Every structure is written in C-alpha cells, then in structure tokens.
Amino acid sequence: AQEVADALVAQGFTVTEVGNARLPSGADQPKTRVLYARNAQEGADYAAPVAAKLLNKEKVKPEGGKIKPGSSEPYVPTASTTAPAATPTASAPATTTDGQGPVIQLVIGTDWQGVAAPIKIPDSIKDDVVDANTNPCL
C-alpha cells in the first residue's frame, strides 16, 4: 500500500490513508478495484484518473461502493516521495460538501500490476509530437 500511495502522490494525487482490506478469510482481495461513495455525485469523475493510472490487464472501472479496511493508518510519504508543486486532488479526506471531492478507495487485488509512470516528452522533440492540437490537414 505504501509503494502504491507513494507512486500516486508523485504523480499529483492526494492520499490520506493506507490500510489492509483482506477478505474475512484472511486472503488477499482477488481483484483490483477503484471505489467511491455511491451517494457522491461526482464520485466516478474523481475515481477515473486513479483508474486510468493502473496497469492491470483488465481495465479497472470505477464503481460505487466501499470496503471497510481491517486496519488503516494516515498516509506518511517516504523520504523519496516528492509531490508536484500543483497537486490535483484525486482523493480527499472529505466529501464534496467542503469543495475537496469524494473519498476514493483503491483496493489492490492479486491481479495488481502497478501504476503507470508519467510520460515526459523531451523539449527537443515537443514540436514534432502529434497531439490533440495537431492539424492533420497540413
């Protein structure tokens, strides 16, 4: 949980807690899931950027629901974790009523493959990259 939280924080996400959400039998969760409160109007919108960063073979789709962790603790970044200067909030410790956004849970399952690394384009080739602003008719 710490490694995943550090990887997401390094990409600008806000992490508030890490915990253990094993099944009642003590087994690991079989499937990686991104959850948001069912009553959060913008829950899926806040959960989508988290789901998009996951490298699982099967695409993880945000879903309404909640898993109660058996144990959790406040997230404390490791010494090597550096958050960007501007931090967009993908998960927050509050609901939408205070302007922060809904709480998002990332449940790591046995199918976990990791967090995608951000792509950085070298300045030397930025003018040669095809993106949404490229006019294909030129």
Side-chain angles (χ1 to χ4, degrees), residues 1-11 13-18 75-77 81 106 108 112 115:
Q2 183 72 38
E3 280 182 47
V4 174
D6 287 345
L8 290 171
V9 165
Q11 294 188 41
F13 293 94
T14 299
V15 175
T16 59
E17 291 183 13
V18 292
Y75 168 71
V76 177
T81 304
L106 170 58
I108 305 299
W112 176 252
V115 174

Side-chain angles (χ1 to χ4, degrees), residues 10-11 53 82 84 117-126 129:
Q11 294 188 41
K53 285 294 183 182
T82 55
I119 298 172
K120 293 194 174 201
I121 300 170
D123 289 336
S124 62
I125 64 167
K126 280 194 177 185
V129 175

